[in-house]
Amino acid sequence: MNFIKSLALPVVLTLGTFACSSEPDELYFPLPSHELEVVRSQSQSFMVDTLFSGLNRPYSMAFLPDSTVLITEREGKLLRVRKGELQDEPVKGVIDAELRDIILHPQYEENGWIYMTYYLEQTEEDGAYTVLSRGRLEGDTWIDNEVLFSAGPFSNGANWYSSRILFDKEGYIYMTVGQRHKWPREVGRAQRESWGYAQDLSLYQGSTVRLLDDGRIPPDNPFVDRTDALPEIYSYGHRQNQGLVLHPETGEIWATEHGEMGGDELNILRYGGNYGWPIATHSLNYDGTYITRDTLLEGTEPPVHHWTPAIAPSGLEFVYSDRYPGWEGDLLVASMIQGMVNRCVIQNGRIVRDEKLIQGVGRVRTIKLAPDGFLYVLTEDTGLILRLLPA
């Protein structure tokens, strides 16, 4: 791995190194007892602490208040880490294959609900679906499992469909629904439906849906009164939304989105917003030809930021933690194709530059700021969980 720079300096860690508001018994993983190396970034020196390796295509993680970490694997295992120790057996119960995101209900300590998404593969009788479910954890067993919402049917395999979920400050739950192809204008309706078209409000492909916490449709959703639109849709015109995060101060929902050749986007989701795919984009076709020459059209939302060449952005996290004073208020974005963590430097509400923090660790899928104040990074292909320790 080449994320340790040549100017890295050895440092011996002690508990005092991380004096903060969290007490030691609140940490999800013990502090390292060995020497690590310091990486100098522009504003915050840090160390990369490898906690686990060898996981099988992990996708997301959730931090429970009892020092437990739940980790979803795309092969259908829900792993449990307790006080820093990976449990020998995955969680038992009704756990579906092709797991994606996992989050806790905002009132988890009162109701115990945990939400997950997964991809249900196509059968001979029916198409494939992206599914939102919830359940509770009782000891080492998943109980009270219930399906809340299914988006589809799709005709493509699971590799093409990501999904993210989050709760906003009002308690609505949001879920992203990807789509594989743009729509060539010369094809007919039947072909368009099988491919998916992010401008078609009668299809879930390329949308973000908004639901109540029990899966019901909110009566104030933007298209709930339109006969030509699906009432669950909150925003549309997305290609592949791969990350969602709630801004802790403004309450805005920020999302990462894949283009094709370049044109990856960072967006703020607006009520009923159209994000342009494929009629307005900074992206090109994979063969280098134009998808469209329009980067913005009337009625579409411009990205807050975009990347060319592509970084294949995935999970993202705002840094609001007194452990990282140099990054306070900035945004960290997982990059899969470049195998890095990208820092978006924010000044006066605008992104002014990017900085590569770590590179060469594998396809970075998820970044989470845990209740213990530390940043955790999860890689998909190399199966790592990393912790960024301030130096």
Side-chain angles (χ1 to χ4, degrees), residues 198-199 223 234-238 270-279 296-302:
Q199 291 295 310
F223 307 110
Y234 180 82
S235 66
Y236 66 107
H238 304 289
R270 310 291 187 192
Y271 179 91
N274 177 1
Y275 289 81
W277 181 262
I279 59 175
L296 184 64
L297 291 173
E298 184 177 356
T300 65
E301 299 285 342

Side-chain angles (χ1 to χ4, degrees), residues 30-43:
L31 295 173
S33 58
H34 56 283
E35 292 185 358
L36 297 178
E37 294 181 306
V38 176
V39 182
R40 307 292 186 189
S41 79
Q42 294 171 358
S43 304

Side-chain angles (χ1 to χ4, degrees), residues 15 31 38 63 88 109 180 217 221 264 288 328 330 362 368-369 374 379:
L15 186 58
L31 295 173
V38 176
F63 296 85
D88 293 334
E109 294 193 69
R180 175 67 180 99
I217 300 169
N221 267 6
D264 295 340
E328 183 74 10
D330 290 338
K368 293 280 188 179
L369 183 65
F374 286 120
T379 68

